[in-house]
Structure formats: C-alpha cells, structure tokens
Amino acid sequence: MENDKLNEESTENNSGFIQMKRFHFVMLLFFVVFLAAGITTFALAFGDEKVVTVATERKEFDKLYSAFDTLKEGYYKELDQDKLVNGAINGMIEALEDPYSDYMNEEEAQKFRESISSSFEGIGAEITEQEGYITIVSPLKGSPAEKAGLKPNDKVISVDDKSLRGMSTTEAVMLIRGEKGTEVKLVIQRPGMDEPLNVTIVRDTIPIETVYGEMVDDKVAKVQITSFAETTSKELVTILNDLQKQGMEGLILDLRQNPGGLLNQAVNISSLFVPKGEILFQIEDREGNTEETKSENDNNVNFPLVVLIDKGSASASEILAAAVSESADVPLVGEKSYGKGTVQRAKDFTDGSNIKFTTEKWLTPKGNWIHEKGIDPDFKVSLPSYADLPIINPEDKLKLSTASTSVKTAQQMLEAIGYKPGRTDGFFDEKTEAAVKKFQKAEKLKATGVLTGQSTVTLMNKLREKIQSNDTQVDKALEVLKEQMK
C-alpha cells in the first residue's frame, strides 16, 4: 500500500432537479458525485416542496440513481445504504485499473494513517496490487515479515485460507494485520518457483522508526532509511549529527528494501544532499504540463556519499536516489530499483473514510519516467545467490528419504553456512542427515537429524546472519566511497 500522500482541497459542484424520494441517497452519494466533477453551489428547498434544486443537471448519474432505486425497492432483503455507497465508490476506483488508487472506509483509513504516523500491529510488509495479485513491495527492517523471509515481488495468494485474488491492497491489509502475538498464515508464490510456500508469521508491534545508523569503520558510516514516514527527515538529521561526532567523513545511504512513503520527506532528505537550486524531481500532469521541485537547502552535507538501491527500493526512495544521482553526481550501487513513477494524493471525507488516487507522474531531474522500468545503479552488484533462497515452513518435517523443494532449500542453506549436505538436489539422504545432526549439535539443539520446528527457524536465522556478514553490495559501496575520499 503505497503511502505517497499530499492532501488537497477539492472544489464542489453538483446537479439537477432530483425527486424528493431520492434525496437521502443523493446526500449519501454527494462525495461520489464530486469525484467526477467538483461541487460548486447547491440550494435545498424545504416545506411542501417536492423537489430539491441543485445547480445544473448531471445526466451521467441517472443510471447510477436508477440502479440504486431498483435495488432499494426490489431486492429481496433490506439493504444497507452505506454499504451500497461504499460499493459505488469502490467500483469507480477499480474502474481506473490503477493499483495505487484505493478507497478506504473509516476503519481502513485509520489504519492507513497509523502506518505513516505511529506504530501498528501486523507483519510489517509493504504491499501493492499487480495484475490482480497482492504483491510484496518490501518487508520492513526487523519486521516479522523480514524474519520470515518474505521478498519483494512475492505474490500473496491467500491469508488464513482466504484467497486474495482480485482484492484491493486495503482489503488485503485488513486481513493480514492483527493483534500482536497472533498468527497469520500466508500462501506465497515466489517468482521462479513452481510450488507455493506456506508461511506462518506471528504478528508484532511494528514501530515507525525509520532510520538506523552505524559506523562501518573509523571514518565511514552506513545509514539505512527503511521508509519515509512523518519524522524520517528529523530522525536522519539527528543520526547524521551523532555520526559526525563519532568521526564520520563518508556516508553509505542504504535505501534497499525501502518501499517509499511521504513525498515531502523525500524532498526534505534529497535537499540535504542536492545543492540549492538544483532539480530534485519534476511533476507532470495529464495535460503534459511539468513543474520542477528544486532543492532549497543552503546547508548541504559536505562529505562523500554513495547510495545503495535494490528491487525493493520504490517510489519516494527512487525519487531520492534519482535526485542525488542526476543532480549531485552521487554514485548508485546495487540492483535496479522497483520502478514506481506516479504520485498519489489522499482526500479525507467527513465520516473519516478516504480515497487515495494517482494524480501525476513524477520524472527524474533529467525528465526520465522510471515507471515499471526502475533506476539502474552505476555499479551493479548482486547479493550472493543464497540471499534469495526461499523460506522453509517450520511445521514441515524434512527427514531421511524425503524429497522436495524444501529439502533442496535446506541443503543449500546448510551448504551456505558451512555444513556439507553432500547434495543439493532435494533428496534427503544419509549425508544430509549427518549435516543436519552436526548443525543441531553446534547450535545446542536435539540432534535428531530431522529438520523441523526450532531447528528450521535456527537454520534460517544463521543464514540471515551469513547474508548480513557477507553483504557484497555494502562492500562495493565502501570501495567506491573510499575512492571518493582519497
């Protein structure tokens, strides 16, 4: 669920001579009508009058009113008018065929606001709708989703045995989120894999702490921005000041797995690194008119910078990456980014519901539209192949004489962390059993030779530690940065 959000006031305009029997429905549909044309003025007649006078007639809504009246008068059950109105709005949004536009009822809108302003309870993964499938954009750093091994472009087929096919991102979020400590079962289809993955994740509190910094050596720091929330730019400034006190002379800015967020935060952060007057990005409306947004910051940081991106870097993180690359000659290291080049704005209604809809394209400083194409890094570097291994369901029992893709994954994991399973073709033989027992003994687990439960969880945790300690992308960024610092 993309969080690019700029609220704008909408003008108002409406229509015609409406039969009094439709009055209440017209009022309910008031905010539906202004989506098609803003509302200007209207006048209501009271007393014995049988009509409501409302500016000029809008015949394109006759069929909508007629459909409502037909259902209201003839359907075999009593109807919920609010539910029908919500359905009408949803229908208009779905007709846009835009995965980044969405209607949220009051409860859904509240959860959307929580996701960019405070903490929430769930699994911690940014999702979007692509070609009818709910797809992972990126798991958040340290979240249950990341720990469970979810990856960008994973398709979520079902949640707790309920299919998500055809659902909006908002509907999917309502199913995936839940109270801390509760379990949610996902079926995941990963690109390149024939069999779906069954993943059980324990929900947790997901704090919106979006910036993490550390010194890599005596002179170089690495700062990771995990998303762009309301306080991200302030968090970044605080951490950079602290790192400078620790001796930072060069910075690796890590935007990997960053799904985006608030546009104003991307502007604030880009302005830290792009000289005043240089273009950060351009906005293009449906008429093709463009408007440039430029850096207005007088006090840019004055140390060398390298930025890390990957296929989970999307939207606002791509705006930042493109801005520093094209307007400040900052090198990009890693993999091609996600490719989300549109801007969404949100409109809140008086009842607390909300629509989020695409209003413009955004272009890079040089006028490139990266939508569905992504940004190519200057230095293309992949993580080791074992970093893309799928998760294993801890409920499965992998043991002697079994054969499956899960066994193959386990063998590859064992191989990656230094144990020798003898083969990696998916057949669990005596050598694989011996490797599992050796691993279990080293980790002080019961040496059964069966990979299940805590043994599986520990194996995946050890692999994650291996990935973190052998981060080829950070290594390359450090190499590029050291050249700049000479």
Side-chain angles (χ1 to χ4, degrees):
M1 184 178 61
E2 182 57 41
N3 290 332
D4 287 345
K5 181 175 181 287
L6 291 177
N7 289 325
E8 288 189 338
E9 296 299 325
S10 294
T11 56
E12 305 188 351
N13 153 37
N14 197 8
S15 57
F17 290 98
I18 310 297
Q19 296 289 335
M20 180 59 79
K21 68 178 182 178
R22 295 179 180 172
F23 173 71
H24 295 294
F25 177 57
V26 172
M27 292 300 98
L28 284 171
L29 277 180
F30 196 69
F31 52 91
V32 178
V33 175
F34 86 69
L35 290 177
I39 301 173
T40 52
T41 59
F42 65 97
L44 303 180
F46 296 94
D48 295 329
E49 294 90 338
K50 299 301 181 183
V51 296
V52 179
T53 304
V54 190
T56 56
E57 186 176 0
R58 297 297 304 275
K59 292 184 178 180
E60 61 263 41
F61 289 101
D62 285 352
K63 184 162 68 171
L64 185 64
Y65 300 149
S66 179
F68 176 85
D69 287 345
T70 299
L71 292 173
K72 186 71 175 173
E73 295 169 6
Y75 193 67
Y76 82 107
K77 290 182 180 180
E78 189 71 22
L79 294 176
D80 183 332
Q81 290 191 154
D82 289 341
K83 192 172 182 180
L84 288 181
V85 172
N86 287 338
I89 302 172
N90 264 323
M92 283 194 290
I93 297 296
E94 289 174 7
L96 299 175
E97 297 183 345
D98 176 7
Y100 302 113
S101 295
D102 204 4
Y103 169 69
M104 293 168 257
N105 63 31
E106 186 174 354
E107 181 183 1
E108 294 164 343
Q110 177 61 30
K111 290 185 178 294
F112 170 69
R113 286 186 283 268
E114 288 174 359
S115 71
I116 60 172
S117 61
S118 60
S119 63
F120 59 92
E121 293 181 349
I123 68 170
E126 191 80 12
I127 62 173
T128 188
E129 185 273 332
Q130 286 185 346
E131 299 177 352
Y133 289 97
I134 297 301
T135 304
I136 302 292
V137 175
S138 184
L140 300 179
K141 179 180 175 64
S143 67
E146 183 191 52
K147 293 174 182 176
L150 297 189
K151 304 282 187 184
N153 297 316
D154 282 348
K155 291 182 173 64
V156 186
I157 305 302
S158 67
V159 176
D160 290 333
D161 299 322
K162 185 169 184 178
S163 173
L164 300 189
R165 182 67 173 169
M167 281 193 183
S168 69
T169 55
T170 302
E171 292 170 319
V173 165
M174 296 296 289
L175 292 176
I176 295 171
R177 282 192 183 175
E179 293 184 6
K180 176 181 178 179
T182 60
E183 289 187 347
V184 59
K185 295 181 180 180
L186 309 182
V187 175
I188 301 294
Q189 185 65 59
R190 178 160 293 169
M193 294 190 63
D194 295 329
E195 297 181 17
L197 304 168
N198 296 301
V199 186
T200 299
I201 303 177
V202 178
R203 299 179 178 101
D204 202 351
T205 299
I206 311 299
I208 307 301
E209 181 181 350
T210 59
V211 184
Y212 302 81
E214 62 180 343
M215 295 297 295
V216 176
D217 61 24
D218 291 341
K219 296 183 178 181
V220 175
K222 181 173 82 73
V223 171
Q224 183 177 15
I225 302 176
T226 59
S227 64
F228 292 82
E230 289 180 344
T231 62
T232 300
S233 59
K234 292 181 180 179
E235 288 180 54
L236 178 60
V237 170
T238 299
I239 286 178
L240 289 179
N241 286 335
D242 181 61
L243 291 170
Q244 283 186 301
K245 293 176 183 177
Q246 297 180 48
M248 176 182 67
E249 296 181 12
L251 174 65
I252 298 171
L253 188 62
D254 190 351
L255 301 180
R256 294 176 299 175
Q257 306 292 294
N258 182 322
L262 298 177
L263 183 60
N264 69 325
Q265 294 297 302
V267 171
N268 293 345
I269 294 171
S270 298
S271 296
L272 292 174
F273 305 106
V274 174
K276 183 175 181 179
E278 295 294 328
I279 299 172
L280 301 178
F281 62 93
Q282 302 177 56
I283 293 293
E284 181 179 307
D285 65 19
R286 62 185 179 186
E287 267 76 48
N289 302 311
T290 58
E291 180 180 344
E292 297 175 345
T293 297
K294 298 182 179 181
S295 174
E296 296 183 355
N297 186 28
D298 287 313
N299 300 310
N300 297 112
V301 296
N302 58 1
F303 43 74
L305 174 69
V306 172
V307 171
L308 285 169
I309 59 172
D310 68 3
K311 57 190 174 184
S313 305
S315 193
S317 58
E318 291 176 294
I319 288 176
L320 173 54
V324 297
S325 173
E326 295 187 4
S327 292
D329 295 322
V330 171
L332 305 180
V333 174
E335 299 171 314
K336 179 182 288 189
S337 65
Y338 183 82
K340 197 255 183 188
T342 55
V343 176
Q344 283 67 46
R345 303 180 191 269
K347 169 66 181 177
D348 294 328
F349 299 119
T350 55
D351 66 350
S353 61
N354 171 295
I355 58 168
K356 177 168 64 75
F357 57 106
T358 301
T359 54
E360 300 108 346
K361 300 177 180 178
W362 72 263
L363 312 176
T364 70
K366 295 182 179 179
N368 299 312
W369 194 37
I370 57 93
H371 196 62
E372 297 182 348
K373 294 183 288 186
I375 300 170
D376 286 310
D378 301 292
F379 300 90
K380 188 173 182 179
V381 182
S382 299
L383 292 172
S385 59
Y386 53 75
D388 288 325
L389 288 176
I391 53 182
I392 305 172
N393 189 349
E395 295 180 3
D396 292 344
K397 289 187 176 181
L398 310 183
K399 57 185 179 179
L400 190 64
S401 298
T402 59
S404 67
T405 56
S406 293
V407 171
K408 181 177 181 178
T409 298
Q411 290 169 331
Q412 291 172 315
M413 288 182 178
L414 288 165
E415 186 79 37
I417 64 174
Y419 297 90
K420 303 296 181 183
R423 62 198 301 166
T424 57
D425 60 358
F427 180 73
F428 201 118
D429 63 3
E430 290 83 358
K431 286 186 177 181
T432 300
E433 183 183 54
V436 171
K437 286 182 177 179
K438 186 176 181 181
F439 164 74
Q440 289 171 327
K441 287 178 182 178
E443 296 301 320
K444 296 180 172 51
L445 300 167
K446 189 174 181 180
T448 62
V450 177
L451 198 60
T452 189
Q454 188 57 48
S455 290
T456 301
V457 172
T458 303
L459 176 60
M460 291 192 289
N461 285 338
K462 297 302 290 185
L463 180 69
R464 184 161 51 250
E465 292 172 8
K466 173 76 172 181
I467 295 168
Q468 291 171 345
S469 64
N470 186 29
D471 193 328
T472 52
Q473 293 169 339
V474 169
D475 291 343
K476 182 62 177 180
L478 185 59
E479 175 190 326
V480 173
L481 191 62
K482 291 285 189 179
E483 283 297 314
Q484 291 185 25
M485 295 170 64
K486 286 181 178 179

